[in-house]
Amino acid sequence: MSTYQTNTSGDSSVTPQVSLTGVVERITFHSEESGYTVARLQSPRVRELTTIVGNFANIQAGQTLQLQGTWKEHLQYGQQFQVIKYSETKPATLTGIEKYLGSGLIKGVGPVTAKRIVAHFALDTLEIIEQDSDRLIEVPGIGKKRVKMIQRAWVEQKAIKEVMLFLQTHGVSTTYAVKIFKQYGEKSIAIVTNNPYQLSEDIFGIGFLTADLIARNLGVDPASTFRYRAGIKHVLGEAAEDGHCFLPQPELLTAATTKLTTQEHTSTADAVLEVLRTMGVEQELILETVEDVPLYFQPSFFYTEQNLAISILKLLERPQTVDLPRVRNWIERFTQSHKITLSPEQQQAVEMAATQRVMILTGGPGCGKTFCTRTIVALWKAMGKKIALAAPTGRAAQRLSEMAGIEAKTIHRLLEFDPATRGFKRGVDEPLPHDAIVVDEASMLDLFLAHSLIKAVRTDAHLLIVGDIDQLPSVGPGSVLGDLIKSSRIPVVRLTQVFRQAQSSGIIRAAHQINRGQYPTLETISDAPVSDCLWHSGGFEPEHGVQAICELIRDFVPSLGFDPVTDVQVLCPMTRGIVGTRNLNQVLQQLLNPPALEKPQINRGGDMLRVGDRVIQLKNDYEREVFNGDLGVVGSIDSTEHEVMIQFDNREVIYDYADLNELGLAWSISIHKSQGSEYPVVILPLYMQHYLLLSRNLVYTGLTRAKKLAIVVGSNKAIGLAVRQNQVGKRYTRLPARLGGNTSSTIHQS
């Protein structure tokens, strides 16, 4: 029997503590993040259920608990028992044992299996599972495979409980207990005790702040080198999330000193600098001095950026001999036979694709990038080249394939990810076997993916990089497309002419107006919808915007023939706030996928995940072959196996409960996460609440995600501010300089 200390607030010295014993009848609310729980307890010889409130490391219906705490009178909910400490004992009745086993405690045992086990072993059930579990084979319907599963799960849940108790005691969220156990196994407590900051490096979702809380509770000296190193890495990690490949010393010192200062400890720039010097000597960080300014890189960033430049320069070195008159003759015959006309810019791009090893094709919507790319692919086919088409996301690859008429793959599939090595099979030693490669949506390429791709291109192959330079830069670090153009080392064709058939689209007109810094022409939604680009004022307050979005999805969008569940995507500038993705996801989930008896659901990290929900992958998961930004739908939830099935396009992917923090609701997503995707209908809320992030390329990117209809909801002031704001955040990169171009500047302005 283990005793757990809860974190309920309240002055227990004033109100005397009392004891309470009972069986958990049901869980009203349980936060995986904090452990805060509201549950109903059945106490012996008490007719009514008792409401208990406290922080529980792990709680299941059917558990028998001995509680210590105080009685409190809640103004709305009446009398409640505030739990201060609790311990768990084995259930003593057949009903209690059955409910305990069938509560989801053990993977592989649901209510039906629990009933069979208890019917066979009665009050000896738990002792047999603990001491003689091979006898489970005696139970009808349980085979050897299920017995092994139950045995493993029983041992694991016992170990997990110990880990959860330890972590809960030391301030870590129970959400990550299973992940910690899966990462470290029985060594979990030893590793966390020795260096809790290791968690922030090894486990997705546990950052420096959580590790720091654990360390403080364990009594780790706030001036320890462990802590300072972790804090410095954390600052560089936060910078990478903002797109930076490094930080100059002054910014790093300021940020790290602030991060490492607490109420009990004042950090200094000198102390941080001393640890930085040590980390540099030990190669934990790479120091590069440019214009007398020390720049600090995480090693992987430094070497990846350096090697990316080397790979590009090798491609550019290889000479290319082509009969240009013959190419021009082919273009003339092709355009005549297909009754098409190329603009001078497009003609230049097609010729360049034949004569240059590497080239960039950029331009806004309606300027003919797709048409130009299709012509280049046809030329390469005529030249007898083996062609590969790739894009960063599955949806972008699918569009590229439809456009070119040949198969396109995600870059990850093209490079053949190998789960055994957690790396790509294709690279310098085993390059791609293709003579010509098109990579589309190149604005999404971050530093690491670009390096993996380009180092796998043969030095005698052609590489066509296609992307819209006016879109947001990649979610990941670097600004590869912009850096390549800025270096002036790679030939670039920028398409600027908007073709006649595209000029009728309000979305395309508005996008180009925004790019020019002009307030876009948006038809008021109250008028007859003759445009595909509309505006709804949504009131001046964000609360009114939420209401307007719901009314549009519920009433207006269906009136135009669109399915509000499958066709509409709400794109937000940010996650926080009333019209941010977090709040809108809760609101839209209730509107579009409300709870129902036939829809299983699970509460993870305070968020409800329900069958039918649209979800987004939040990190690259190479083993499951799903990647950051992929959208799917919850297909099923198996409470017995502790698994959730997500439908991604035509593929089913299984997640263990412990890995659900890789997923988020996607009824509303950030504009950044929408890159490379298109949706029939886009609703774009823009309010002054978002003013810190409002920018020209943010709105431009969001608007151009719409295929058939874009609706801007918000204030004129916010739209105007976004259009005027063209000074987006700086990204620290050195790629242009490493390519030999623009060496005077260390900072790339995305």
Side-chain angles (χ1 to χ4, degrees):
M1 183 175 72
S2 301
T3 300
Y4 298 72
Q5 177 79 42
T6 77
N7 296 323
T8 32
S9 58
D11 189 353
S12 58
S13 63
V14 176
T15 306
Q17 291 186 26
V18 295
S19 298
L20 184 67
T21 301
V23 177
V24 179
E25 186 68 23
R26 64 176 179 269
I27 312 298
T28 305
F29 174 80
H30 176 69
S31 168
E32 293 286 343
E33 184 65 28
S34 65
Y36 178 76
T37 301
V38 180
R40 300 282 278 167
L41 191 81
Q42 180 68 70
S43 297
R45 296 179 297 280
V46 178
R47 180 179 300 177
E48 299 294 329
L49 296 177
T50 301
T51 298
I52 61 172
V53 179
N55 293 77
F56 289 78
N58 187 27
I59 187 167
Q60 304 283 348
Q63 282 181 302
T64 300
L65 301 178
Q66 293 180 351
L67 310 170
Q68 280 186 282
T70 58
W71 291 101
K72 299 285 185 180
E73 188 71 25
H74 192 281
L75 292 176
Q76 183 175 353
Y77 300 112
Q79 194 176 55
Q80 298 179 339
F81 190 80
Q82 301 282 337
V83 181
I84 296 170
K85 291 182 180 179
Y86 72 96
S87 59
E88 180 186 355
T89 61
K90 293 178 180 178
T93 66
L94 293 181
T95 302
I97 295 171
E98 185 179 310
K99 183 176 290 188
Y100 180 65
L101 283 182
S103 64
L105 177 74
I106 306 171
K107 187 172 181 177
V109 178
V112 174
T113 304
K115 196 176 190 70
R116 290 175 184 161
I117 295 173
V118 175
H120 190 80
F121 294 118
L123 293 175
D124 296 329
T125 295
L126 296 179
E127 185 176 343
I128 284 172
I129 293 176
E130 179 81 40
Q131 306 292 340
D132 194 12
S133 56
D134 286 339
R135 286 189 60 194
L136 289 169
I137 196 72
E138 300 172 13
V139 179
I142 296 183
K144 291 182 179 179
K145 184 177 179 182
R146 181 59 64 90
V147 170
K148 294 294 183 187
M149 181 187 296
I150 294 171
Q151 288 172 335
R152 285 196 303 270
W154 183 261
V155 172
E156 185 171 298
Q157 66 87 20
K158 284 181 64 181
I160 288 173
K161 275 190 174 182
E162 291 181 11
V163 173
M164 291 180 81
L165 172 60
F166 175 82
L167 295 175
Q168 181 78 3
T169 303
H170 294 96
V172 71
S173 159
T174 58
T175 305
Y176 302 113
V178 175
K179 276 189 171 290
I180 292 171
F181 182 80
K182 286 172 70 174
Q183 179 77 22
Y184 302 129
E186 295 178 357
K187 299 178 181 177
S188 298
I189 294 175
I191 288 173
V192 172
T193 303
N194 180 56
N195 180 14
Y197 297 103
Q198 190 69 34
L199 296 173
S200 62
E201 296 189 25
D202 293 343
I203 299 176
F204 175 74
I206 295 184
F208 170 76
L209 297 180
T210 300
D212 202 34
L213 174 63
I214 301 170
R216 288 205 305 273
N217 290 335
L218 287 169
V220 175
D221 184 354
S224 72
T225 302
F226 269 151
R227 181 170 183 267
Y228 269 61
R229 290 186 178 193
I232 290 166
K233 289 178 181 178
H234 174 67
V235 168
L236 286 172
E238 285 188 321
E241 290 178 4
D242 290 334
H244 301 299
C245 296
F246 65 87
L247 280 181
Q249 187 183 88
E251 290 191 28
L252 178 55
L253 288 177
T254 299
T257 301
T258 301
K259 187 68 66 176
L260 291 165
T261 294
T262 66
Q263 289 182 344
E264 300 82 18
H265 172 74
T266 301
S267 177
T268 66
D270 287 341
V272 174
L273 188 57
E274 184 60 37
V275 175
L276 275 173
R277 291 187 182 122
T278 305
M279 295 174 76
V281 170
E282 297 180 6
Q283 293 288 291
E284 288 186 78
L285 298 178
I286 302 296
L287 171 62
E288 184 177 35
T289 301
V290 177
E291 299 172 3
D292 297 325
V293 179
L295 313 177
Y296 286 94
F297 294 77
Q298 296 182 69
S300 60
F301 286 71
F302 178 83
Y303 293 116
T304 300
E305 189 178 70
Q306 189 177 67
N307 291 329
L308 172 58
I310 292 170
S311 297
I312 292 169
L313 291 173
K314 282 182 179 178
L315 292 178
L316 294 171
E317 284 173 1
R318 187 74 176 252
Q320 170 70 13
T321 304
V322 174
D323 186 345
L324 189 56
R326 187 178 178 186
V327 170
R328 287 171 176 162
N329 286 336
W330 179 89
I331 294 172
E332 185 177 356
R333 293 195 307 273
F334 180 82
T335 54
Q336 286 177 354
S337 64
H338 287 79
K339 297 180 180 179
I340 57 176
T341 302
L342 296 177
S343 70
E345 295 167 337
Q346 290 176 321
Q347 176 85 18
Q348 179 191 9
V350 177
E351 291 179 11
M352 191 178 288
T355 59
Q356 301 292 329
R357 288 289 177 202
V358 186
M359 69 163 287
I360 295 172
L361 178 65
T362 187
C367 292
K369 287 198 308 295
T370 297
F371 179 67
C372 193
T373 304
R374 185 189 302 136
T375 306
I376 290 171
V377 169
L379 170 61
W380 281 346
K381 279 184 180 179
M383 295 172 71
K385 297 186 179 297
K386 184 178 181 182
I387 302 167
L389 306 180
T393 67
R395 294 195 175 191
Q398 184 179 351
R399 291 202 315 273
L400 182 60
S401 180
E402 292 167 355
M403 173 274 295
I406 58 177
E407 183 188 14
K409 298 180 179 180
T410 63
I411 295 173
H412 296 88
R413 280 189 59 213
L414 181 70
L415 298 177
E416 300 175 29
F417 177 76
D418 182 3
T421 62
R422 301 187 68 81
F424 295 112
K425 292 181 181 178
R426 297 293 179 178
V428 175
D429 297 328
E430 191 177 346
L432 293 165
H434 305 92
D435 307 307
I437 299 166
V438 178
V439 55
D440 198 11
E441 295 288 355
S443 62
M444 297 179 66
L445 286 176
D446 65 21
L447 175 68
F448 294 98
L449 188 57
H451 174 243
S452 296
L453 172 67
I454 291 176
K455 75 177 182 179
V457 177
R458 293 199 327 247
T459 55
D460 62 344
H462 291 265
L463 177 63
L464 171 61
I465 300 170
V466 183
D468 187 345
I469 189 58
D470 295 315
Q471 286 190 27
L472 289 168
S474 58
V475 175
S479 185
V480 174
L481 180 61
D483 280 356
L484 294 180
I485 293 173
K486 184 181 181 183
S487 74
S488 302
R489 292 300 302 269
I490 297 176
V492 179
V493 175
R494 179 159 190 162
L495 305 178
T496 58
Q497 178 183 335
V498 180
F499 287 87
R500 186 181 298 111
Q501 61 268 31
Q503 291 174 357
S504 62
S505 167
I507 295 171
I508 291 176
R509 284 200 310 273
H512 285 282
Q513 288 171 329
I514 290 168
N515 246 352
R516 293 192 295 267
Q518 300 170 352
Y519 193 93
T521 302
L522 303 170
E523 180 183 327
T524 304
I525 205 165
S526 58
D527 300 336
V530 295
S531 172
D532 60 358
C533 193
L534 306 174
W535 174 64
H536 188 303
S537 70
F540 292 105
E541 299 299 328
E543 292 88 346
H544 301 148
V546 173
Q547 182 180 347
I549 290 169
C550 290
E551 290 172 356
L552 287 169
I553 292 174
R554 187 185 62 232
D555 304 322
F556 181 73
V557 168
S559 74
L560 300 180
F562 295 106
D563 186 330
V565 175
T566 60
D567 291 341
V568 180
Q569 184 62 62
V570 178
L571 302 179
C572 297
M574 62 193 300
T575 58
R576 297 178 181 176
I578 296 172
V579 280
T581 59
R582 288 177 188 168
N583 182 59
L584 280 172
N585 267 318
Q586 303 299 321
V587 173
L588 296 178
Q589 182 189 48
Q590 190 66 24
L591 176 68
L592 296 170
N593 190 34
L597 290 175
E598 69 275 9
K599 290 182 188 175
Q601 60 186 30
I602 178 174
N603 190 320
R604 305 300 288 176
D607 291 329
M608 188 65 68
L609 204 62
R610 185 175 297 134
V611 168
D613 275 335
R614 187 187 302 164
V615 292
I616 186 169
Q617 179 75 14
L618 300 176
K619 61 169 284 194
N620 288 337
D621 189 329
Y622 296 106
E623 293 183 4
R624 293 187 178 93
E625 291 190 45
V626 287
F627 304 102
N628 193 352
D630 285 355
L631 292 179
V633 175
V634 179
S636 63
I637 297 175
D638 189 331
S639 59
T640 300
E641 300 295 335
H642 290 199
E643 292 176 344
V644 176
M645 186 275 284
I646 308 296
Q647 186 81 40
F648 288 100
D649 293 327
N650 298 318
R651 197 163 66 91
E652 295 181 354
V653 180
I654 302 298
Y655 289 76
D656 190 88
Y657 277 10
D659 297 324
L660 290 180
N661 64 334
E662 294 183 10
L663 297 170
L665 285 173
W667 300 111
S668 173
I669 63 175
S670 70
I671 296 172
H672 245 122
K673 290 283 189 184
S674 73
Q675 285 178 272
S677 295
E678 286 184 340
Y679 316 95
V681 180
V682 164
I683 296 178
L684 189 64
L686 297 175
Y687 281 86
M688 289 306 294
Q689 187 182 63
H690 304 141
Y691 77 95
L692 287 174
L693 292 179
L694 291 177
S695 67
R696 189 179 299 175
N697 64 352
L698 185 88
V699 179
Y700 173 86
T701 300
L703 204 62
T704 54
R705 299 308 90 205
K707 289 174 66 176
K708 298 179 180 179
L709 177 64
I711 306 174
V712 178
V713 177
S715 69
N716 287 314
K717 186 177 180 181
I719 298 170
L721 174 64
V723 170
R724 293 190 302 273
Q725 182 62 272
N726 199 31
Q727 297 299 312
V728 294
K730 298 174 180 179
R731 288 193 167 195
Y732 288 118
T733 74
R734 289 273 293 147
L735 184 58
R738 298 191 199 287
L739 288 169
N742 198 4
T743 56
S744 63
S745 175
T746 64
I747 299 174
H748 172 58
Q749 179 76 44
S750 310

